[in-house]
Amino acid sequence: MWFTSDNAAPAAPEVLAALARANAGPAMAYGGDAETERARAMVREVLEAPQASVEFVGIGTAANALALAALTPPWGAVFCHDEAHVEMDECGAPEFFTGGAKLVSVPGADGRMDGAALEAAMARVGGSVHHVQPGALSLTQATEAGTVYPAAEIAALAARAKAAGVPVHLDGTRFANALAATGASPAEMSWKAGVDVLCLGFSKNGAIGAEAVVFFDDAKAWEFQLRRKRGGHLFSKMRFVAAQVSALLEGGVWLRLAAHANAMAAALAEELKGVEGVRILHPVEANIVFADLPVAAHEAAKAKGAAYYDMPGAQEGFVRVRLVASGATEAAEVEGLIAALKAG
Protein backbone atom coordinates (compact mmCIF):
# COMPACT_ATOMS: atom_id res chain seq x y z
CA MET A 1 0.00 0.00 0.00
CA TRP A 2 2.61 2.47 -1.16
CA PHE A 3 1.20 5.83 -2.26
CA THR A 4 3.88 8.32 -1.20
CA SER A 5 5.10 9.26 -4.66
CA ASP A 6 5.70 7.92 -8.13
CA ASN A 7 9.35 8.75 -7.37
CA ALA A 8 9.30 5.78 -4.98
CA ALA A 9 8.28 3.26 -7.64
CA PRO A 10 10.80 0.73 -8.96
CA ALA A 11 12.37 1.23 -12.35
CA ALA A 12 10.63 -0.35 -15.32
CA PRO A 13 12.14 -3.68 -16.43
CA GLU A 14 12.69 -2.19 -19.89
CA VAL A 15 14.91 0.49 -18.34
CA LEU A 16 17.05 -2.02 -16.47
CA ALA A 17 17.50 -4.07 -19.64
CA ALA A 18 18.46 -0.96 -21.61
CA LEU A 19 21.08 0.00 -19.03
CA ALA A 20 22.65 -3.44 -19.31
CA ARG A 21 22.82 -3.09 -23.09
CA ALA A 22 24.31 0.41 -22.82
CA ASN A 23 27.03 -0.99 -20.56
CA ALA A 24 28.57 -3.10 -23.33
CA GLY A 25 32.00 -1.62 -24.01
CA PRO A 26 33.28 1.96 -24.09
CA ALA A 27 31.50 4.95 -25.59
CA MET A 28 32.22 8.63 -26.01
CA ALA A 29 31.60 10.71 -22.89
CA TYR A 30 29.42 13.74 -22.20
CA GLY A 31 26.69 12.82 -24.68
CA GLY A 32 28.89 12.25 -27.70
CA ASP A 33 27.77 8.61 -27.95
CA ALA A 34 25.36 6.78 -30.25
CA GLU A 35 22.87 5.97 -27.46
CA THR A 36 22.42 9.63 -26.56
CA GLU A 37 21.93 10.63 -30.18
CA ARG A 38 19.39 7.82 -30.60
CA ALA A 39 17.44 9.07 -27.59
CA ARG A 40 17.51 12.63 -28.95
CA ALA A 41 16.13 11.41 -32.27
CA MET A 42 13.36 9.46 -30.51
CA VAL A 43 12.30 12.50 -28.48
CA ARG A 44 12.19 14.61 -31.65
CA GLU A 45 10.12 11.96 -33.40
CA VAL A 46 7.62 11.64 -30.55
CA LEU A 47 7.23 15.43 -30.41
CA GLU A 48 7.07 15.81 -34.21
CA ALA A 49 9.83 18.39 -33.86
CA PRO A 50 12.78 17.38 -36.07
CA GLN A 51 14.68 20.63 -35.46
CA ALA A 52 14.30 20.71 -31.68
CA SER A 53 17.34 20.77 -29.42
CA VAL A 54 17.18 17.88 -26.94
CA GLU A 55 19.45 17.60 -23.90
CA PHE A 56 19.35 15.34 -20.85
CA VAL A 57 19.78 15.76 -17.11
CA GLY A 58 19.24 13.36 -14.23
CA ILE A 59 16.60 15.10 -12.11
CA GLY A 60 13.59 17.36 -12.56
CA THR A 61 14.92 20.16 -10.35
CA ALA A 62 17.91 20.59 -12.66
CA ALA A 63 15.73 20.41 -15.76
CA ASN A 64 13.33 23.10 -14.59
CA ALA A 65 15.82 25.43 -12.94
CA LEU A 66 18.35 25.35 -15.78
CA ALA A 67 15.65 25.73 -18.43
CA LEU A 68 14.17 28.74 -16.65
CA ALA A 69 17.66 30.22 -16.26
CA ALA A 70 18.11 30.05 -20.03
CA LEU A 71 14.84 31.94 -20.51
CA THR A 72 14.94 34.47 -17.69
CA PRO A 73 17.53 37.10 -16.68
CA PRO A 74 18.30 37.77 -13.01
CA TRP A 75 16.00 40.80 -13.11
CA GLY A 76 13.14 38.81 -14.67
CA ALA A 77 9.86 37.50 -13.29
CA VAL A 78 8.80 33.86 -13.65
CA PHE A 79 5.02 33.58 -13.53
CA CYS A 80 3.89 30.29 -12.00
CA HIS A 81 0.88 28.88 -10.18
CA ASP A 82 1.01 29.54 -6.46
CA GLU A 83 1.23 25.78 -5.81
CA ALA A 84 3.62 24.99 -8.66
CA HIS A 85 6.52 22.65 -7.99
CA VAL A 86 9.05 25.36 -8.94
CA GLU A 87 7.46 27.59 -6.29
CA MET A 88 6.91 25.11 -3.46
CA ASP A 89 9.38 22.24 -3.81
CA GLU A 90 12.64 23.26 -5.47
CA CYS A 91 14.43 24.78 -2.43
CA GLY A 92 14.99 28.04 -4.33
CA ALA A 93 16.73 26.33 -7.27
CA PRO A 94 15.03 28.47 -9.96
CA GLU A 95 16.07 31.63 -8.13
CA PHE A 96 19.60 30.27 -7.64
CA PHE A 97 20.22 29.14 -11.22
CA THR A 98 18.67 32.28 -12.76
CA GLY A 99 20.88 34.41 -10.53
CA GLY A 100 17.97 35.92 -8.65
CA ALA A 101 14.88 35.99 -10.87
CA LYS A 102 11.65 36.54 -8.93
CA LEU A 103 8.93 33.89 -8.87
CA VAL A 104 5.54 35.60 -9.18
CA SER A 105 2.73 33.32 -8.06
CA VAL A 106 -0.56 33.31 -9.93
CA PRO A 107 -3.74 31.77 -8.47
CA GLY A 108 -6.17 29.36 -10.07
CA ALA A 109 -8.56 26.64 -8.96
CA ASP A 110 -7.47 22.99 -8.74
CA GLY A 111 -3.84 23.71 -9.55
CA ARG A 112 -4.54 25.33 -12.94
CA MET A 113 -3.51 28.93 -13.52
CA ASP A 114 -6.29 31.44 -14.16
CA GLY A 115 -5.79 33.38 -17.41
CA ALA A 116 -7.15 36.69 -16.15
CA ALA A 117 -4.97 36.42 -13.05
CA LEU A 118 -1.93 35.80 -15.27
CA GLU A 119 -2.64 38.96 -17.26
CA ALA A 120 -3.03 40.94 -14.04
CA ALA A 121 0.27 39.58 -12.72
CA MET A 122 2.11 40.40 -15.95
CA ALA A 123 0.67 43.94 -15.87
CA ARG A 124 2.25 44.52 -12.47
CA VAL A 125 5.86 44.04 -13.64
CA GLY A 126 8.13 45.96 -15.96
CA GLY A 127 7.91 49.54 -17.13
CA SER A 128 10.42 50.88 -14.61
CA VAL A 129 13.97 50.24 -13.51
CA HIS A 130 12.54 49.74 -10.02
CA HIS A 131 10.58 46.62 -11.05
CA VAL A 132 11.45 43.14 -12.18
CA GLN A 133 10.86 42.68 -15.90
CA PRO A 134 8.75 40.05 -17.69
CA GLY A 135 10.75 36.81 -17.83
CA ALA A 136 8.88 33.55 -18.46
CA LEU A 137 5.62 31.73 -17.90
CA SER A 138 6.02 28.35 -16.19
CA LEU A 139 3.16 25.83 -16.33
CA THR A 140 3.08 22.43 -14.60
CA GLN A 141 1.64 19.44 -16.45
CA ALA A 142 0.09 17.51 -14.79
CA THR A 143 -0.51 20.03 -12.01
CA GLU A 144 0.48 19.68 -8.39
CA ALA A 145 -3.22 19.14 -7.59
CA GLY A 146 -3.36 16.10 -9.86
CA THR A 147 -5.37 17.90 -12.51
CA VAL A 148 -4.49 18.36 -16.18
CA TYR A 149 -4.42 21.32 -18.53
CA PRO A 150 -6.16 20.49 -21.81
CA ALA A 151 -3.96 21.47 -24.77
CA ALA A 152 -6.34 24.30 -25.64
CA GLU A 153 -5.95 25.77 -22.16
CA ILE A 154 -2.17 25.71 -22.44
CA ALA A 155 -2.50 27.44 -25.80
CA ALA A 156 -4.74 30.14 -24.32
CA LEU A 157 -2.31 30.85 -21.47
CA ALA A 158 0.65 30.78 -23.85
CA ALA A 159 -1.09 33.26 -26.15
CA ARG A 160 -1.53 35.69 -23.24
CA ALA A 161 2.14 35.31 -22.37
CA LYS A 162 3.36 35.73 -25.93
CA ALA A 163 1.28 38.89 -26.32
CA ALA A 164 3.38 40.31 -23.46
CA GLY A 165 6.64 39.04 -24.96
CA VAL A 166 6.96 36.24 -22.39
CA PRO A 167 8.28 32.79 -23.43
CA VAL A 168 6.65 29.61 -22.09
CA HIS A 169 8.24 26.83 -20.04
CA LEU A 170 6.33 23.61 -19.40
CA ASP A 171 7.31 21.55 -16.37
CA GLY A 172 6.32 18.18 -17.79
CA THR A 173 7.47 15.95 -14.98
CA ARG A 174 4.13 14.10 -15.38
CA PHE A 175 3.66 14.99 -19.05
CA ALA A 176 2.94 11.36 -19.94
CA ASN A 177 0.12 11.23 -17.38
CA ALA A 178 -1.43 14.31 -18.97
CA LEU A 179 -1.19 12.77 -22.44
CA ALA A 180 -2.79 9.56 -21.22
CA ALA A 181 -5.56 11.53 -19.53
CA THR A 182 -6.45 13.74 -22.49
CA GLY A 183 -5.55 11.75 -25.58
CA ALA A 184 -3.67 14.75 -26.97
CA SER A 185 -0.50 14.16 -28.93
CA PRO A 186 2.85 15.28 -27.46
CA ALA A 187 3.08 17.95 -30.15
CA GLU A 188 -0.42 19.26 -29.44
CA MET A 189 0.43 19.49 -25.75
CA SER A 190 3.73 21.31 -26.31
CA TRP A 191 5.02 23.35 -29.24
CA LYS A 192 1.69 23.44 -31.09
CA ALA A 193 0.22 25.01 -27.94
CA GLY A 194 2.93 27.67 -27.82
CA VAL A 195 5.45 26.03 -25.46
CA ASP A 196 9.03 27.17 -26.04
CA VAL A 197 10.82 24.80 -23.65
CA LEU A 198 9.51 21.44 -22.43
CA CYS A 199 11.03 19.61 -19.48
CA LEU A 200 9.95 16.10 -20.38
CA GLY A 201 9.93 13.88 -17.31
CA PHE A 202 10.79 10.19 -17.06
CA SER A 203 12.00 9.81 -13.47
CA LYS A 204 8.44 9.57 -12.11
CA ASN A 205 7.41 7.25 -14.92
CA GLY A 206 9.70 4.24 -14.96
CA ALA A 207 13.21 5.70 -15.13
CA ILE A 208 15.86 5.63 -12.43
CA GLY A 209 16.78 9.23 -13.15
CA ALA A 210 16.30 10.82 -16.56
CA GLU A 211 14.74 14.06 -17.83
CA ALA A 212 14.83 15.61 -21.30
CA VAL A 213 14.95 19.38 -21.83
CA VAL A 214 13.57 20.26 -25.24
CA PHE A 215 14.05 23.69 -26.81
CA PHE A 216 11.70 24.01 -29.78
CA ASP A 217 13.54 27.19 -30.78
CA ASP A 218 17.20 26.41 -30.26
CA ALA A 219 18.29 30.04 -29.78
CA LYS A 220 18.75 29.34 -26.06
CA ALA A 221 20.01 25.76 -26.39
CA TRP A 222 23.73 26.61 -26.29
CA GLU A 223 23.24 28.74 -23.19
CA PHE A 224 21.41 25.81 -21.57
CA GLN A 225 24.33 23.51 -22.35
CA LEU A 226 26.78 25.94 -20.77
CA ARG A 227 24.58 26.39 -17.70
CA ARG A 228 24.19 22.62 -17.35
CA LYS A 229 27.95 22.13 -17.36
CA ARG A 230 28.60 25.06 -15.01
CA GLY A 231 25.83 23.85 -12.70
CA GLY A 232 27.32 20.37 -12.38
CA HIS A 233 24.60 18.49 -14.27
CA LEU A 234 26.44 17.34 -17.40
CA PHE A 235 26.84 13.60 -16.86
CA SER A 236 30.09 12.17 -18.18
CA LYS A 237 28.44 8.81 -18.89
CA MET A 238 25.37 10.35 -20.50
CA ARG A 239 24.56 7.14 -22.37
CA PHE A 240 23.10 5.69 -19.16
CA VAL A 241 20.67 8.59 -18.83
CA ALA A 242 19.77 8.49 -22.52
CA ALA A 243 19.26 4.72 -22.52
CA GLN A 244 16.47 5.10 -19.98
CA VAL A 245 14.68 7.59 -22.23
CA SER A 246 15.01 5.35 -25.29
CA ALA A 247 13.70 2.34 -23.38
CA LEU A 248 10.59 4.18 -22.19
CA LEU A 249 9.77 5.79 -25.52
CA GLU A 250 10.28 2.63 -27.56
CA GLY A 251 6.96 0.90 -28.12
CA GLY A 252 5.08 3.49 -26.05
CA VAL A 253 6.17 2.08 -22.67
CA TRP A 254 6.03 5.56 -21.09
CA LEU A 255 2.39 6.04 -22.09
CA ARG A 256 1.42 2.54 -20.95
CA LEU A 257 2.92 3.14 -17.52
CA ALA A 258 1.27 6.55 -17.24
CA ALA A 259 -2.13 5.21 -18.29
CA HIS A 260 -1.85 2.48 -15.66
CA ALA A 261 -0.94 5.00 -12.96
CA ASN A 262 -3.90 7.17 -13.94
CA ALA A 263 -6.23 4.17 -13.87
CA MET A 264 -5.06 3.17 -10.39
CA ALA A 265 -5.64 6.73 -9.11
CA ALA A 266 -9.11 6.78 -10.67
CA ALA A 267 -9.95 3.43 -9.08
CA LEU A 268 -8.69 4.67 -5.72
CA ALA A 269 -10.77 7.85 -5.94
CA GLU A 270 -13.88 5.85 -6.81
CA GLU A 271 -13.35 3.48 -3.89
CA LEU A 272 -12.72 6.36 -1.49
CA LYS A 273 -16.24 7.58 -2.17
CA GLY A 274 -17.46 4.53 -0.28
CA VAL A 275 -15.44 5.31 2.86
CA GLU A 276 -17.53 7.24 5.35
CA GLY A 277 -16.39 10.80 5.94
CA VAL A 278 -13.77 10.96 3.19
CA ARG A 279 -13.65 14.14 1.11
CA ILE A 280 -11.89 14.24 -2.25
CA LEU A 281 -10.47 17.72 -2.79
CA HIS A 282 -9.73 18.02 -6.53
CA PRO A 283 -10.85 16.36 -9.74
CA VAL A 284 -8.75 13.21 -10.21
CA GLU A 285 -7.44 13.53 -13.76
CA ALA A 286 -3.90 12.14 -13.60
CA ASN A 287 -2.29 9.88 -11.00
CA ILE A 288 -2.72 11.90 -7.79
CA VAL A 289 -5.58 11.96 -5.29
CA PHE A 290 -5.91 14.61 -2.58
CA ALA A 291 -8.35 13.78 0.18
CA ASP A 292 -9.33 14.61 3.74
CA LEU A 293 -9.54 11.41 5.81
CA PRO A 294 -11.25 11.07 9.18
CA VAL A 295 -8.54 10.73 11.83
CA ALA A 296 -9.73 7.24 12.84
CA ALA A 297 -9.56 5.98 9.25
CA HIS A 298 -6.12 7.53 8.76
CA GLU A 299 -4.77 5.94 11.93
CA ALA A 300 -6.18 2.55 10.95
CA ALA A 301 -4.55 2.74 7.52
CA LYS A 302 -1.20 3.73 8.97
CA ALA A 303 -1.41 0.89 11.48
CA LYS A 304 -1.84 -1.52 8.56
CA GLY A 305 1.29 -0.16 6.87
CA ALA A 306 -0.19 2.27 4.35
CA ALA A 307 2.38 4.80 3.14
CA TYR A 308 1.36 8.27 1.94
CA TYR A 309 2.12 11.89 2.76
CA ASP A 310 0.16 14.05 5.18
CA MET A 311 -0.50 17.57 3.92
CA PRO A 312 -1.38 20.83 5.73
CA GLY A 313 -4.81 22.43 5.73
CA ALA A 314 -7.20 19.85 7.16
CA GLN A 315 -10.01 20.81 9.52
CA GLU A 316 -10.17 19.39 13.02
CA GLY A 317 -11.01 15.70 13.01
CA PHE A 318 -9.46 15.12 9.57
CA VAL A 319 -6.03 14.48 8.07
CA ARG A 320 -5.30 15.85 4.61
CA VAL A 321 -3.34 13.39 2.47
CA ARG A 322 -1.81 13.04 -0.96
CA LEU A 323 -2.04 9.61 -2.57
CA VAL A 324 0.08 9.01 -5.67
CA ALA A 325 -0.21 5.98 -7.96
CA SER A 326 2.56 4.85 -10.28
CA GLY A 327 3.08 2.54 -13.20
CA ALA A 328 3.90 -0.18 -10.67
CA THR A 329 0.85 0.27 -8.40
CA GLU A 330 -1.23 -2.89 -8.12
CA ALA A 331 -4.98 -3.18 -7.72
CA ALA A 332 -4.39 -5.13 -4.52
CA GLU A 333 -2.74 -2.07 -3.00
CA VAL A 334 -5.83 0.02 -3.71
CA GLU A 335 -8.07 -2.66 -2.24
CA GLY A 336 -5.84 -3.00 0.81
CA LEU A 337 -5.86 0.72 1.52
CA ILE A 338 -9.61 0.97 1.20
CA ALA A 339 -10.11 -2.00 3.52
CA ALA A 340 -7.75 -0.46 6.08
CA LEU A 341 -9.54 2.90 5.95
CA LYS A 342 -12.91 1.27 6.40
CA ALA A 343 -11.59 -0.60 9.42
CA GLY A 344 -11.20 2.75 11.15
Side-chain angles (χ1 to χ4, degrees):
M1 297 184 291
W2 197 275
F3 296 96
T4 58
S5 174
D6 34 13
N7 279 321
E14 294 86 350
V15 165
L16 298 179
L19 289 172
R21 290 194 298 272
N23 198 42
M28 292 296 292
Y30 299 110
D33 59 282
E35 184 64 50
T36 300
E37 192 48 50
R38 176 172 177 259
R40 288 192 181 107
M42 292 179 74
V43 171
R44 293 186 186 109
E45 182 179 4
V46 162
L47 291 167
E48 303 174 49
Q51 303 306 315
S53 174
V54 181
E55 301 297 339
F56 301 109
V57 294
I59 60 173
T61 298
N64 287 322
L66 290 168
L68 286 170
L71 294 180
T72 314
W75 51 85
V78 176
F79 304 98
C80 60
H81 191 273
D82 51 19
E83 295 178 356
H85 200 80
V86 294
E87 166 69 9
M88 301 294 290
D89 296 292
E90 303 284 28
C91 195
E95 295 94 329
F96 176 78
F97 280 101
T98 59
K102 181 180 179 66
L103 298 188
V104 177
S105 61
V106 181
D110 295 318
R112 289 184 285 252
M113 187 181 292
D114 178 77
L118 171 61
E119 285 205 353
M122 290 190 297
R124 290 194 296 268
V125 306
S128 166
V129 72
H130 301 288
H131 302 153
V132 290
Q133 304 300 304
L137 168 63
S138 179
L139 300 173
T140 309
Q141 180 75 311
T143 76
E144 290 299 296
T147 56
V148 171
Y149 287 102
E153 195 168 340
I154 292 177
L157 289 166
R160 291 176 187 261
K162 297 297 180 66
V166 173
V168 180
H169 159 260
L170 189 64
D171 172 2
T173 189
R174 295 185 175 95
F175 190 73
N177 299 92
L179 295 176
T182 64
S185 74
E188 290 167 340
M189 193 72 83
S190 57
W191 64 269
K192 288 186 177 181
V195 172
D196 297 290
V197 180
L198 167 66
C199 293
L200 179 56
F202 295 93
S203 298
K204 289 180 169 64
N205 192 34
I208 294 171
E211 312 285 317
V213 182
V214 184
F215 286 82
F216 296 107
D217 176 354
D218 67 359
K220 291 287 188 179
W222 174 238
E223 180 178 340
F224 174 86
Q225 292 175 40
L226 294 172
R227 287 182 176 276
R228 179 181 58 175
K229 174 62 177 179
R230 187 171 182 265
H233 286 282
L234 177 61
F235 282 52
S236 59
K237 296 184 179 181
M238 189 64 77
R239 57 176 158 155
F240 295 108
V241 179
Q244 298 174 65
V245 173
S246 300
L248 290 168
L249 292 179
E250 191 163 18
V253 173
W254 68 312
L255 294 177
R256 173 175 59 78
L257 293 173
H260 176 81
N262 290 2
M264 290 295 97
L268 177 58
E270 187 62 30
E271 292 292 335
L272 283 170
K273 294 176 183 177
V275 180
E276 185 176 356
V278 170
R279 307 165 181 165
I280 295 176
L281 303 176
H282 303 291
V284 179
E285 297 172 349
N287 64 319
I288 305 174
V289 181
F290 281 88
D292 284 347
L293 306 179
V295 169
H298 162 74
E299 291 177 347
K302 287 292 187 177
K304 290 289 187 180
Y308 50 78
Y309 286 132
D310 301 354
M311 308 296 287
Q315 296 178 353
E316 186 175 354
F318 289 86
V319 177
R320 183 156 296 177
V321 302
R322 187 189 76 161
L323 305 161
V324 185
S326 75
T329 300
E330 298 180 0
E333 293 181 87
V334 174
E335 295 165 3
L337 177 58
I338 297 301
L341 291 170
K342 287 182 176 179

